[in-house]
Amino acid sequence: MFDSQSRPRELLSRRAASAACGEVLWAALADPAARTAPPAPGPDAPRADHTDHWSPLLALTLAVLGWSRPDVGVARWLAEGMRRDDIPLDLLASWYGPRAEALVAWSRASSALADHATRLSDELRLPVPVGRVPIAVHDEHYPGISGAGYDDLHLGRVPDQLSGPTLDDGELTVTRVPGGEEAVLQLEDYPGWYRLLHEKAGELRMPPPGQERRIEVVVAPLGSLGVFRRSPLTGRWHATSEAAHRLGWPTLR
């Protein structure tokens, strides 16, 4: 899948870049009682501080919630009163709340967010949703993310981490349990885990009628990333409710 002699420095840099986003986000999802929100940097803070603050938001919306358009999902979520009826939405509300609107502001200021999300959909070999949803946004400025260049914070690293490249093919195990099966995808490296989830899941037979296939993703450096399920409408794997997942799809709801 990936030549071990090609681009080793880039692969190592991706592993290092995943630490700030990965450790803080996945630890918070695994243990809500021990959450420590990424500190909100001041306007004059170093760019790296702004990147570290917004990166978990992008990983949360793209992978955990499985939103094809994080700006659309955030806009709908805010308009519906910031529901927090499951762990990912509760984390979104606790860490960002109304400030999650920064993704909407970014999408208005630059095509970067839409480009990054489209590239991820392409890597997952899933259709890119079409359709436009009117998005209202206030005039509040979010330093770094919405007012400087195409992607001044280099947040494109987040979908890059989700889709690879990686040296790890992963190991998918299925165990029979009373009432069905349990599947676990075990990985040694963080980069590429979300793409590998989609690829490995395609190797499994369809679950019996009336049963839902669920896969727990475990990455050696981080532990469990959660239990994911495949949306029957979008084909995307997510770790939230189907209703919450559909918030981020322009042509649904």
Side-chain angles (χ1 to χ4, degrees):
M1 180 182 298
F2 183 71
D3 183 355
S4 61
Q5 300 302 314
S6 67
R7 301 198 301 179
R9 291 183 180 177
E10 179 179 349
L11 182 58
L12 288 174
S13 68
R14 290 178 189 276
R15 287 175 179 168
S18 71
C21 170
E23 290 179 4
V24 67
L25 174 61
W26 306 114
L29 289 170
D31 185 5
R35 289 177 182 168
T36 300
D44 298 325
R47 182 174 66 180
D49 291 352
H50 291 278
T51 300
D52 289 345
H53 177 71
W54 295 113
S55 291
L57 174 60
L58 202 54
L60 177 64
T61 53
L62 283 172
V64 182
L65 293 165
W67 288 350
S68 67
R69 284 283 303 276
D71 52 336
V72 172
V74 162
R76 286 172 167 169
W77 176 71
L78 291 171
E80 295 179 9
M82 296 190 297
R83 52 186 290 190
R84 49 196 311 168
D85 51 344
D86 69 0
I87 290 176
L89 291 182
D90 185 59
L91 182 63
L92 179 61
S94 299
W95 277 11
Y96 297 99
R99 298 178 65 255
E101 187 185 50
L103 292 183
V104 183
W106 185 23
S107 72
R108 283 292 179 89
S110 165
S111 66
L113 179 57
D115 293 344
H116 295 328
T118 297
R119 185 177 72 253
L120 179 60
S121 291
D122 289 342
E123 291 286 347
L124 301 178
R125 299 180 182 180
L126 293 174
V128 178
V130 295
R132 304 177 68 88
V133 174
I135 299 176
V137 63
H138 300 128
D139 294 329
E140 186 171 352
H141 175 63
Y142 298 91
I145 193 172
S146 64
Y150 175 78
D151 183 8
D152 189 58
L153 300 184
H154 302 297
L155 293 175
R157 75 178 193 178
V158 174
D160 285 348
Q161 292 163 12
L162 298 177
S163 62
T166 180
L167 301 175
D168 188 5
D169 285 334
E171 180 181 359
L172 182 61
T173 60
V174 180
T175 305
R176 292 188 178 276
V177 297
E181 298 176 337
E182 290 182 351
V184 178
L185 176 61
Q186 296 179 308
L187 302 165
E188 294 298 321
D189 294 321
Y190 183 84
W193 73 266
Y194 195 50
R195 174 178 52 79
L196 284 169
L197 169 61
H198 284 74
E199 291 178 358
K200 290 292 184 179
E203 301 174 2
L204 297 175
R205 66 177 184 273
M206 295 295 292
Q211 293 188 14
E212 180 182 52
R213 169 72 70 194
R214 298 188 177 196
I215 300 177
E216 181 179 13
V217 179
V218 179
V219 178
L222 301 173
S224 177
L225 304 190
V227 177
F228 290 76
R229 58 188 63 83
R230 181 180 180 274
S231 168
L233 285 181
T234 69
R236 190 95 160 229
W237 286 80
H238 62 82
T240 187
S241 67
E242 183 69 13
H245 170 64
R246 295 181 191 178
L247 287 171
W249 288 76
T251 56
L252 299 179
R253 301 178 75 256

